[in-house]
């Protein structure tokens, strides 16, 4: 019998919807580190993901957008990490 792994934590839990359609991701000490905005392009609805002031990408689902921002945030802690191969976002700015 295969056991499916289901994590107990997800970037959704770090997201705070302070204004309708804009989710702000907050780190463990309460600092904002990214956001996801819902956008409409013609008949389609999507999400724009940003880490600090840097665009991470555009996504079709909120889940994918939140995961992308959180992944970029985690990578920003590694040497040479961050979006765009290490160029751009610097923690604490």
């Amino acid at each position: 019998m295969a056991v499916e792994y289901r994590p107990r934590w997800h970037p959704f839990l770090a997201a705070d919807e302070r204004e309708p359609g804009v989710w702000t991701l907050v780190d463990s000490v309460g600092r904002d580190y990214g956001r996801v905005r819902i956008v409409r392009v013609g008949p389609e609805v999507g999400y724009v993901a940003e880490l600090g002031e840097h665009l991470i990408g555009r996504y079709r689902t909120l889940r994918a957008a939140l995961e992308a921002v959180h992944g970029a945030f985690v990578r920003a802690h590694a040497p040479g990490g961050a979006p765009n191969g290490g160029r751009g976002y610097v923690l604490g700015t």
Side-chain angles (χ1 to χ4, degrees):
M1 175 197 237
V3 176
E4 183 178 337
Y5 172 73
R6 290 186 178 239
R8 294 181 179 197
W9 185 88
H10 187 274
F12 269 122
L13 298 174
D16 185 14
E17 189 177 9
R18 297 175 188 159
E19 62 181 277
V22 179
W23 292 266
T24 302
L25 283 92
V26 182
D27 69 11
S28 61
V29 294
R31 291 181 298 213
D32 298 352
Y33 68 85
R35 71 180 184 165
V36 172
R37 294 179 289 118
I38 192 169
V39 294
R40 182 176 295 275
V41 179
E44 294 190 25
V45 174
Y47 301 88
V48 175
E50 300 168 336
L51 181 66
E53 298 299 318
H54 301 279
L55 176 67
I56 300 299
R58 297 175 182 270
Y59 299 87
R60 292 187 182 269
T61 66
L62 177 58
R63 180 182 193 98
L66 290 170
E67 287 176 351
V69 173
H70 183 70
F73 176 69
V74 170
R75 287 189 302 278
H77 289 81
N84 303 318
R87 300 182 309 275
Y89 187 73
V90 177
L91 288 174
T93 60

